[in-house]
Amino acid sequence: MTLAVTPVVSQRQVFYVVLATFASQMVVTMSNSTLPTIAPKVAEALGLEAALIGYQVSILFGAATIGTLFGGKFTRRFGACRTMQLSNALCGAGLMLMTVPHVLPILLGSLVAGYGQGLINSATAHLLVKYTPPGRRNLLFSIKQTGVPFGGMLVALSAPVIAVTCGWQWAIVMVIAMIAAVIALVQMRRGAWDTDRDSAAGVKQQKFGGVPLVLAQPSLRWVSLAGFLFAAVQRCLLTFTVIYLVAERGYSLIEAGIMLSLIQAGGIAGRLFWGWLADRMRSSIAVLLAIAVITVVDSVILMAMQSDWPRPAVYAMFLVFGAAALGWNGILHAETARVSPPGMASVVAGGSTFFVFA
């Protein structure tokens, strides 16, 4: 399967590809963000400690790590568009199981949704490399990746309100409905985008996906390990901010959700800005280093946070933290695509994402 950029690609094609990958990334993120956002309500209903949500997130991303090993294979055999749809559908199926008010279905749903999440980056990387010009790739990958904080912001603003007023299951149903809409909309482009699929490609080939390829090439290895560390900070911030503010700092669930939405808003602005800056500087690595420094400083500030801090200062802190801790993804994915061997972008994306999800 050839992943080279199509010789003649219209601006309309680029727009539709970026929009579709953005939307798919958005609903996948909503599927893994909903339960942590409403964790206090879910814990109350199940009679558990809210902090135990960390185990649910670990199970979900553990399954996502396994899914990354198959993302490139599915993309080669079924096509990038169909693989995006499969990713979204598995996330929706997992969420359906999570509406059952019992620990076992929630854990099973986390496994299903997590595996689906693991497929997404190989498919989206394939489409973006195929349809976007190299000189704009940092920005366009970053636009696609803004689907992550944008989806998280939608959940942070809506899920706590729905959980308080209608019940926590309805917050999950809202996300399932959005997933179904995205699957239907992407279907309209499937015929054109999946012409390069290879139905003869074996799904069982390359037992460890793109991981050996990433480990064998130093530039891919170090960038992927950096993604591992960036992702650790990002996931802790997104998973425990609401619980931290409610349990330790006396915030209401809705106000804590607003703070989480500020992190996501900062992530949206950050991804766009950092992507533009990386293209302008022609150096993804320099921008990633700047992001790392800002993330360290913000982490120290968050550790020192007190309940009586002025709200405007807290708002500003979370906005900047979000811009840094959530701003690295698009640049990292664009960099791995840039240094991938010819024709292997989707496989490498899966291998790199393995470390990010781990």
Side-chain angles (χ1 to χ4, degrees):
M1 183 176 62
T2 300
L3 291 179
V5 178
T6 306
V8 179
V9 180
S10 69
Q11 290 296 319
R12 178 175 293 183
Q13 286 176 309
V14 174
F15 171 79
Y16 283 133
V17 166
V18 174
L19 179 63
T21 54
F22 169 90
S24 294
Q25 196 80 59
M26 177 188 73
V27 293
V28 166
T29 299
M30 295 178 76
S31 73
N32 67 50
S33 301
T34 303
L35 225 60
T37 303
I38 58 174
K41 277 292 178 184
V42 179
E44 180 183 322
L46 300 182
L48 300 172
E49 290 289 333
L52 293 176
I53 192 65
Y55 291 102
Q56 183 268 336
V57 173
S58 297
I59 290 170
L60 189 147
F61 277 90
T65 303
I66 301 302
T68 62
L69 302 179
F70 294 87
K73 306 170 191 178
F74 280 36
T75 298
R76 290 171 65 88
R77 181 164 186 174
F78 304 114
C81 187
R82 181 64 83 216
T83 302
M84 278 200 311
Q85 290 177 305
L86 176 61
S87 170
N88 293 169
L90 287 170
C91 289
L95 286 176
M96 289 181 188
L97 287 168
M98 292 183 209
T99 60
V100 180
H102 193 277
V103 171
L104 289 180
I106 289 175
L107 295 182
L108 179 59
S110 300
L111 288 171
V112 174
Y115 183 83
Q117 178 178 327
L119 304 177
I120 189 67
N121 279 318
S122 294
T124 55
H126 175 90
L127 285 174
L128 286 171
V129 168
K130 181 180 176 182
Y131 286 102
T132 61
R136 299 171 57 197
R137 203 159 281 162
N138 279 297
L139 178 59
L140 294 176
F141 265 82
S142 293
I143 291 174
K144 185 268 290 189
Q145 284 298 128
T146 59
V148 175
F150 189 80
M153 184 174 66
L154 289 180
V155 167
L157 290 174
S158 61
V161 176
I162 296 173
V164 169
T165 57
C166 304
W168 61 271
Q169 285 106 328
W170 287 104
I172 299 175
V173 170
M174 177 267 295
V175 179
I176 295 173
M178 293 188 67
I179 289 174
V182 170
I183 292 173
L185 289 172
V186 170
Q187 177 62 28
M188 294 188 291
R189 295 280 166 176
R190 198 258 167 165
W193 289 347
D194 284 353
T195 55
D196 57 354
R197 67 186 183 276
D198 180 6
S199 58
V203 173
K204 294 184 179 180
Q205 294 173 355
Q206 296 174 311
K207 184 180 295 184
F208 297 104
V211 174
L213 185 59
V214 168
L215 292 175
Q217 185 169 327
S219 56
L220 287 171
R221 180 170 66 244
W222 291 113
V223 169
S224 299
L225 291 176
F228 172 88
L229 299 174
F230 278 124
V233 178
Q234 174 180 314
R235 187 45 48 187
C236 287
L237 184 65
L238 296 179
T239 300
F240 293 109
T241 290
V242 170
I243 298 171
Y244 170 65
L245 292 175
V246 171
E248 302 292 337
R249 294 296 178 255
Y251 284 62
S252 69
L253 178 61
I254 293 176
E255 190 177 16
I258 293 173
M259 294 298 181
L260 182 59
S261 73
L262 288 172
I263 294 174
Q264 304 285 11
I268 293 172
R271 290 184 189 206
L272 295 175
F273 172 73
W274 298 124
W276 168 84
L277 185 62
D279 280 336
R280 189 170 181 82
M281 294 179 62
R282 298 183 181 179
S283 176
S284 300
I285 301 302
V287 174
L288 288 172
L289 284 170
I291 291 172
V293 172
I294 297 171
T295 299
V296 170
V297 172
D298 279 322
S299 298
V300 173
I301 293 173
L302 183 60
M303 289 170 60
M305 177 183 171
Q306 299 298 319
S307 302
D308 58 353
W309 279 16
R311 288 296 191 266
V314 177
Y315 297 157
M317 184 267 292
F318 279 126
L319 273 171
V320 175
F321 206 167
L326 278 64
W328 55 273
N329 307 64
I331 301 171
L332 183 134
H333 290 304
E335 179 66 12
T336 56
R338 185 184 70 81
V339 299
S340 296
M344 299 297 289
S346 66
V347 177
V348 169
S352 178
T353 306
F354 175 90
F355 294 95
V356 172
F357 286 162

